[in-house]
Amino acid sequence: MGRVGVDVYPLQTGVGLAEVTSFGKYLGGSPTNVAVAAARYGHSSAVITKTGRDPFGDFVRTALEGYAVDSRFVGTSDIAPTPVTFCEIFPPDDFPLYFYRLPKAPDLDISPEELDLGAVRDASILWVTGTGLSEEPSRSATLAALAHRATSGTTVFDLDWRPMFWADPAEARAHYAEALRHTTVAVGNLAECEVATGEREPYAAAKALLAAGVQLAVVKQGPKGVLAMGHDGSIAEIPPVPVDVVNGLGAGDAFGGALCHGLLSGWDTRRTVTFANAARAAEVAARIGATAVPTGTDLINSPEVDAVLVTSWGPTHAEHVLNAIAAGKPVFCEKPLATTAGDCLRIVEAERAHGRRLVQVGFMRRFDAGYRQMKEVLAAGSVGTPLIVHCAHRNPTVPDSYTSAMAAQDTAVHEIDVLRWLLDDEIVSAQVITPRATSKRFAHLKDPQIMLFETANGVRIDLEVFVNCQYGYDIQCETVGEDGLVRLPDPAAVGIRTTERHSTAVLQDWKGRFVDAFDTEFREWIASVEADTEPTGPSAWDGYAATVITDAAVRSLEADGQVVTVDMKPRPALYGGTA
């Protein structure tokens, strides 16, 4: 229910409207496009709206029928012509829109008494938008539809914030609050969530939407992906699907149609939002002739694919890696290799059965120049036999979703892998103790944590994990040997001298610290793929070992600091062992 119009978009990109020489004409209006997207998934859909009494109104009806969207609820208003919208296309992220909807658009001329309340009540999903609340009589009609439906079935409120449509934008929050009372699902980007709730931080915004009455809050975060939070406490944070952006317009409506498809199919929240997130990417990719592939399995088995890069949500890693091994294709898997030791072992056994290494795991510390220099020093015996290793892994802050167990699983796992490699030694026990907690943490989080490890050769490792240190992203590593020590260098930074002060900058995130390591990691992996040789980076066995060791650390944390023995299987010959 809501906005409709005709989108007149330029057929040239990178130039302003004054320089454009040709245009294409398309069906427009966010809720109308959501109805079209849902119809493309095979669902029966209709749109409640109005057009002007003009040829563009005829175009809207013809286009709807062509997309198999029922047009019987499309009325006609004499207050104004059918709206048109122009845009400019400046990839990758600048797409100015120019709406021609003044003094008032026909789709805002819907009155409550014109509604077919039976159809409103009986629909499996009712989708309404924030724009529908911007002006009377559409505001009263939208709220009447919501009240009559009384949350029967699924009611989606697309927060859809367009400030230019509001005579007084300050009035919006009160009307949004009224609509949320009758809504089961709320969908919006960060700016729209802020209008509705006053909160812009994703987790805070989702919680505020739930407090306003919805059962599922979906927060779109652009390049950071999508956050979905349910009233039952469930949380799904889905990373973005990377594409080369030519025009992002329409991606949100593709997301809406795919969200409807997932809700109608009875999928759980994570699967629904993952599917919808990919649909946004597919809509954008289609504009440049890219191929949309429905599943990871189809992508891996495509004859056009020579090697596989897995950066999807962690619990999907095992499935994709196993499929790549079955297809005989090299596969780079971002950590974790799998979320359970059992799934890691399945991957190890599948690779052993294949008879050749295909898997590389994305532990990028091994490709950092500083760590590689440390490895050379230790291998040469320059500081003698290693005895002790001191490490620190500090982050400025972490979100509310970060848990105490993630200190081992997501943070310390990098040190665990690189230390096994540096020392050429296996970790056999883990202990986690918790000192005085920082007041800067969320209440549920144990921070900082001190992790103590022992290796098979008796080296003792202490690792400080402090994820709310405030001052920056700081990685430290020092190995003490019988004849000296070797220390990881800090990143190069200029020194600044001013009155009574000498300072250097502290990096604020992992990107600046390890960007070169990531580049080296991928270059070397791609070189191995091109040469048809086995990868030289962390193996499936390293992925398994990291998972087993972090599991031991989590068990120690949960057992109030008890020393936990690492229960690791014998290393197979394929990975340099004897089993």
Side-chain angles (χ1 to χ4, degrees):
M1 177 178 178
R3 200 163 71 245
V4 74
V6 177
D7 291 340
V8 183
Y9 286 179
L11 300 182
Q12 293 83 44
T13 65
V15 295
L17 284 176
E19 289 78 38
V20 173
T21 58
S22 55
F23 296 84
K25 178 182 64 179
Y26 309 96
L27 182 65
S30 178
T32 302
N33 287 338
V34 169
V36 170
R40 284 176 168 172
Y41 290 111
H43 301 292
S44 173
S45 66
V47 59
I48 302 171
T49 190
K50 280 187 177 182
T51 70
R53 197 178 301 276
D54 55 23
F56 274 154
D58 297 336
F59 166 75
V60 165
R61 290 169 176 78
T62 301
L64 286 171
E65 294 296 340
Y67 289 123
V69 176
D70 195 332
S71 64
R72 62 179 147 160
F73 303 115
V74 180
T76 303
S77 172
D78 293 315
I79 66 168
T82 303
V84 295
T85 302
F86 288 85
C87 81
E88 294 174 322
I89 303 175
F90 296 101
D93 58 2
D94 186 17
F95 311 107
L97 288 167
Y98 303 93
F99 295 97
Y100 292 81
R101 294 172 56 87
L102 298 176
K104 182 176 184 176
D107 54 55
L108 293 174
D109 192 35
I110 304 170
S111 300
E113 57 270 15
E114 295 176 298
L115 296 175
D116 183 336
L117 293 177
V120 168
R121 182 188 60 250
D122 295 341
S124 299
I125 292 179
L126 173 66
W127 183 287
V128 301
T129 73
T131 297
L133 300 173
S134 65
E135 193 168 343
E136 293 290 2
S138 174
R139 179 185 302 146
S140 294
T142 301
L143 293 174
L146 291 171
H148 184 79
R149 189 171 169 82
T151 67
S152 61
T154 299
T155 303
V156 182
F157 181 21
D158 178 358
L159 302 180
D160 180 40
W161 175 240
R162 305 283 184 180
M164 70 287 292
F165 298 162
W166 291 76
D168 183 1
E171 296 180 353
R173 186 170 298 167
H175 298 307
Y176 273 50
E178 176 65 19
L180 287 168
R181 289 181 50 236
H182 303 287
T183 299
T184 57
V185 180
V187 182
N189 60 32
L190 294 176
E192 291 166 340
C193 289
E194 185 175 21
V195 170
T197 68
E199 300 285 354
R200 190 176 181 89
E201 194 281 323
Y203 277 81
K207 291 178 180 177
L209 289 170
L210 294 175
V214 307
Q215 298 175 24
L216 174 64
V218 180
V219 181
K220 297 184 287 187
Q221 304 177 74
K224 293 186 178 181
V226 181
L227 167 68
M229 186 180 295
H231 74 292
D232 59 357
S234 61
I235 297 175
E237 193 155 13
I238 311 301
V241 179
V243 296
D244 291 326
V245 178
V246 172
N247 187 347
L249 298 172
D253 302 335
F255 179 95
L259 180 66
C260 289
H261 177 60
L263 293 169
L264 290 168
S265 299
W267 295 346
D268 62 32
T269 299
R270 187 172 293 278
R271 182 180 179 187
T272 296
V273 177
T274 299
F275 181 81
N277 198 39
R280 297 171 72 194
E283 175 71 16
V284 175
R287 298 177 186 270
I288 56 171
T291 302
V293 182
T295 69
T297 302
D298 293 322
L299 179 63
I300 291 165
N301 291 329
S302 169
E304 299 179 49
V305 172
D306 300 312
V308 180
L309 176 65
V310 179
T311 60
S312 56
W313 180 52
T316 67
H317 286 191
E319 174 189 355
H320 296 325
V321 173
L322 287 167
N323 284 337
I325 295 171
K329 297 181 179 181
V331 53
F332 181 103
C333 181
E334 188 50 82
K335 63 93 179 170
L337 175 62
T339 53
T340 68
D343 278 344
C344 289
L345 280 177
R346 288 173 58 211
I347 293 169
V348 166
E349 291 305 318
E351 195 173 42
R352 289 180 69 190
H354 180 74
R356 181 173 183 251
R357 274 196 61 193
L358 292 173
V359 180
Q360 179 168 323
V361 182
F363 290 118
M364 82 300 187
R365 297 277 182 94
R366 300 189 188 196
F367 300 89
D368 176 72
Y371 277 113
R372 285 188 162 184
Q373 291 171 24
M374 289 186 70
K375 176 72 170 176
E376 291 172 2
V377 169
L378 292 171
S382 302
V383 298
T385 302
L387 306 175
I388 305 168
V389 183
H390 307 293
C391 297
H393 188 142
R394 304 183 184 112
N395 293 66
T397 60
V398 290
D400 190 14
S401 58
Y402 190 96
T403 66
S404 297
M406 290 170 70
Q409 296 166 337
D410 282 13
T411 302
V413 67
H414 289 287
E415 276 77 16
I416 288 169
D417 175 75
V418 80
L419 292 173
R420 294 177 57 251
W421 172 72
L422 277 177
L423 300 172
D424 193 20
D425 199 357
E426 197 56 84
I427 293 174
V428 296
S429 72
Q431 181 183 16
V432 179
I433 57 178
T434 52
R436 180 179 179 179
T438 173
S439 63
K440 307 294 186 180
R441 78 196 193 287
F442 289 102
H444 67 270
L445 182 61
K446 295 179 179 179
D447 185 47
Q449 298 180 23
I450 304 297
M451 301 185 183
L452 305 174
F453 303 102
E454 184 177 7
T455 73
N457 290 327
V459 178
R460 290 287 187 168
I461 301 166
D462 59 81
L463 167 60
E464 170 204 325
V465 176
F466 187 10
V467 295
N468 289 283
C469 77
Q470 306 300 306
Y471 71 84
Y473 181 77
D474 192 6
I475 303 299
Q476 301 292 326
C477 182
E478 178 181 275
T479 300
V480 181
E482 290 181 319
D483 302 318
L485 63 83
V486 57
R487 178 180 296 137
L488 182 71
D490 285 331
V494 297
I496 302 173
R497 292 176 183 266
T498 57
T499 304
E500 298 182 347
R501 185 180 299 273
H502 180 197
S503 63
T504 56
V506 177
L507 294 172
Q508 293 301 300
D509 60 37
W510 54 267
K511 298 173 188 175
R513 176 63 180 84
F514 289 112
V515 62
D516 291 337
F518 278 108
D519 285 345
T520 302
E521 175 184 46
F522 279 112
R523 287 194 186 101
E524 293 186 9
W525 177 67
I526 291 169
S528 72
V529 172
E530 289 180 329
D532 194 26
T533 59
E534 292 189 355
T536 58
S539 67
W541 179 258
D542 293 317
Y544 162 72
T547 300
V548 173
I549 296 165
T550 57
D551 284 349
V554 172
R555 290 201 303 274
S556 175
L557 176 69
E558 294 171 346
D560 296 324
Q562 178 181 334
V563 177
V564 175
T565 299
V566 175
D567 183 17
M568 194 177 301
K569 304 293 183 183
R571 185 195 297 251
L574 180 64
Y575 309 105
T578 57

